[in-house]
Amino acid sequence: MKLKQITTIFLLTLTAVCVSAQTVKGRVADNKNGEAVPFANVMIMTDTSANARLLTGAVTDMDGRFSLQGKPDGKVLKIQFVGYDTKFVDLSSRLKSGGTIDLGDIAISQSATALKEVSVTALRKRYTMEADKIVMNVDDGVTATSANVFEMLKKVPGVMVDNNENITLNGKSGILFQFNGRDIRMPFESMKAILKSMPANTVAKIETVNNPSAKYEAEGTAGIINIIMAQAQTEGFSGTVSSWSGLTKDFRTFNNASLQYVNDRWTLSANGGFGIFNSLMQSESKQYLWQGADTTLIHLQPVEEHNKFRSANFSFSADYKIDSNNSVGGMFSFNRHRSPVVEDNPDRIFLVSQYPYTDVLSSYTSHTDNPNVSNSYVGNIYYNHRLDTIGSQMSLSFDFDNNANDVASMVKTRYYYGNLDSLTNTDDPCDSTENRYSSYALKFDAVQQFNKKMGLEYGLKSRISLVDNDFRHYASEDPLLSPISNHLKYKENVNAAYLNFSHKVNDKLSYRAGLRFEHTYTNIESVTSGIDTSNNYFNLFPNFSVSYRLGQAHSLSLSYAYRITRPDYNSLNPFVTQTSIYAYSSGNPDLLPQYSHRVDLSMSLFYMFFITASYGYENNEINNITTAMPGHIATIQKPYNIGHQQFASLGLSGMLPLGPVEWTFWMQGSYNQAKADSPQLTMNVETFSFMTWQSLAVKLPWELKLSANCFYLSGMYREGMQMGDMLTFNTSLSRYFFNRALQVSVGVQNIPRRKLEIEGSYNNYRNEMSIMWEKPYLTLQIQYTFGKTANNNTLKRIKSDDMDDRAGSNSGVQQPGANTGGGMGQ
């Protein structure tokens, strides 16, 4: 065969191959807002009939784009996605013309029928994981077993609430709380009161963020807990009325009502509620104190105590869309929390003995009443301006928090010889604290998109926090307290600037690099002693994340963050306070900030399984250390910067639909090493722990739904204390009525009764404690939803203010049900 003939045959064959493998590409978008629709099915069919033959197909990527090889006998392009009408695009003439066919943006419309028939919660997977955060979407199963937001936090992966109701994230203290992405800074007791007063169904989702971008303050070595409130999603009026009740030894209830209105310009929302909460806890402790050759045991006998709380809340928010480029809005929230005097609690009984602890030398009883009232006000106003159509925008916002907390403490103590044999002394100290906290922040943020793949985010923020704490002690003649009354004023001013550069290199690779500068000024003024102490320091906080998409169904991301935890005013207050003649506490004005480095490697598999490996190192770690007071049979608790700590963890989460059963799980194994070498504490401790949260939702006949979840913690090390295993299990049975307008749920919580063992050893002190919470109890929740459900027409704020668009926006790690359905599931 001649060369010319061979060449001709080769060219004809190549032409035939090219024609038969013609490229068809485009982008699928929502017809209302133009947002991409990822994971849509795109298929080339022979025709539009029900018997049409599938020739080839693909799934759209994170940007809604697709590219597939067309066939000569293909007639139409068929596009399908849950909640949208099927779309057909005629290809009959284009495929025959040859070359690449770029269909551009293909708009698809939401299906009114599908919206009625498809449960929104089916698209909202309860737990999702992204490059820097874990998201718990609040669904019926969560709210049915949660009295309030504080109780709901116990269901969030990585969050733990200990016996003193302290909250840690992945075993770490130093959490920054946010509402809707905005920092909330107030005393922890006040924050806890707000969380207890918020009904569970007012929250849409809770995010735990290990590596927020440089846009957000570097405070919090444990990261951020961001509570995103539920908002109106449809045009017209809508609302919810709900009631949650728990039946234990004491009755508890949370009741709430909300009303929303949305049109093309306004989004208005009002919410109010009240709650009565009673909790029960049984405790026992043994404290060993070494004084030279003598060892003293102070044994708290098992005691069961009730805590009673009352709460009320009201909030209002308004967003107004001036035009297509400008919007303004704001929110205001009031929360009142009250703990009345509890007179029916038994006395605590302490027995004091010395080695070998066979004979009780002395004893004492203590009865404490702590009535307190906390009123909190939180507010925000903002202005947003869009600069162009590719994402450039800027915003100006003002945030304020205000809290007034009044606490009275009345302690009645009786001292005896032997085991309550004969009375030797009485002591009835009374304390009152008036604490006033306020925080104000002015913030400017801007996003400059150079193109669709590259952008710069920058901004400035100034925040000032003021504390006025007036503590008064009455009727105490204890010589160790000198002086006991203390009036303290604290001021903290943080000024910051930041830069974030993000770049989507190609369809697979993207990264974000940020740098934050913070200047901190603190001042402690002791009105009582006349001592005034100030401190100034500067810090640079780098932040970086990079992600790579492994095909259409897998992704990989790596992130690094450097963060700070500043000591609060309570930790810095040097004055000594008294619990009994055997127990005292004090702050430490010499405390330094605590710093941490953290690296996270995350992988997403099939958008169903999410794996995260983490490593962290903390320096100047702040620990509350309890030691024996020299020359006294008494202990004092005081915070110190002691040593350093490092940890490594591996976490796995996912959601598996197994027919009528939906299994959601999260689990994490951790290694922790803590080292210290100081007069207060010498230790080199290595511990391993395992934590898991499992949830099952089962669809039963007669439209019933059974939900069950459990939490297990194998034990962990925290602040010099080893905490033992903890297990809790909750379940509920729910059903909808009246076309899903009314939901009724009944359930059982605390199966089995929660128990926690804690022990810790210091240089001259050891503590062993056992905590048991309330017994299993029944719950009943009724929720009625009303209003118009016409169009999904909501006012959009700038994306950079939503934590959904933090590192995850460049990570390529998209979760099932997260922004995949033109607003469904959000």
Side-chain angles (χ1 to χ4, degrees), residues 33-137:
N33 52 34
E35 292 183 355
V37 180
F39 311 119
N41 293 315
V42 182
M43 300 160 283
I44 294 181
M45 313 292 294
T46 55
D47 54 63
T48 60
S49 68
N51 298 321
R53 183 165 52 91
L54 172 66
L55 300 175
T56 184
V59 177
T60 58
D61 63 14
M62 300 303 301
D63 299 317
R65 300 187 182 279
F66 66 90
S67 178
L68 47 79
Q69 302 300 315
K71 305 295 182 180
D73 52 346
K75 302 296 183 182
V76 293
L77 184 76
K78 182 179 180 181
I79 302 173
Q80 286 183 318
F81 188 67
V82 176
Y84 285 80
D85 291 327
T86 299
K87 177 86 171 186
F88 292 98
V89 179
D90 184 15
L91 298 176
S92 56
S93 60
R94 304 189 188 188
L95 281 175
K96 294 178 182 179
S97 63
T100 298
I101 300 174
D102 189 350
L103 299 176
D105 282 2
I106 305 172
I108 60 175
S109 305
Q110 293 185 35
S111 170
T113 303
L115 286 174
K116 293 178 182 178
E117 294 179 351
V118 178
S119 169
V120 172
T121 56
L123 293 179
R124 287 183 57 181
K125 305 311 175 188
R126 180 173 296 174
Y127 299 105
T128 58
M129 181 178 292
E130 300 187 10
D132 59 352
K133 65 181 177 180
I134 295 176
V135 181
M136 184 181 81
N137 293 306

Side-chain angles (χ1 to χ4, degrees), residues 335-353:
N335 293 268
R336 179 179 176 84
H337 184 80
R338 181 167 61 93
S339 298
V341 176
V342 181
E343 298 180 348
D344 57 348
N345 272 341
D347 291 344
R348 289 187 165 195
I349 300 175
F350 297 83
L351 305 181
V352 182
S353 59

Side-chain angles (χ1 to χ4, degrees), residues 658-677:
L658 306 171
V661 179
E662 184 181 86
W663 175 35
T664 305
F665 61 89
W666 176 87
M667 58 188 71
Q668 176 179 282
S670 300
Y671 162 79
N672 187 288
Q673 182 190 51
K675 288 185 177 182
D677 187 9

Side-chain angles (χ1 to χ4, degrees), residues 477-484 576 580-582 584 629-630 632 634-635:
E477 300 177 356
D478 193 332
L480 292 176
L481 304 176
S482 178
I484 186 61
V576 180
S580 73
I581 63 171
Y582 295 103
Y584 302 85
M629 299 178 69
H632 299 276
T635 62

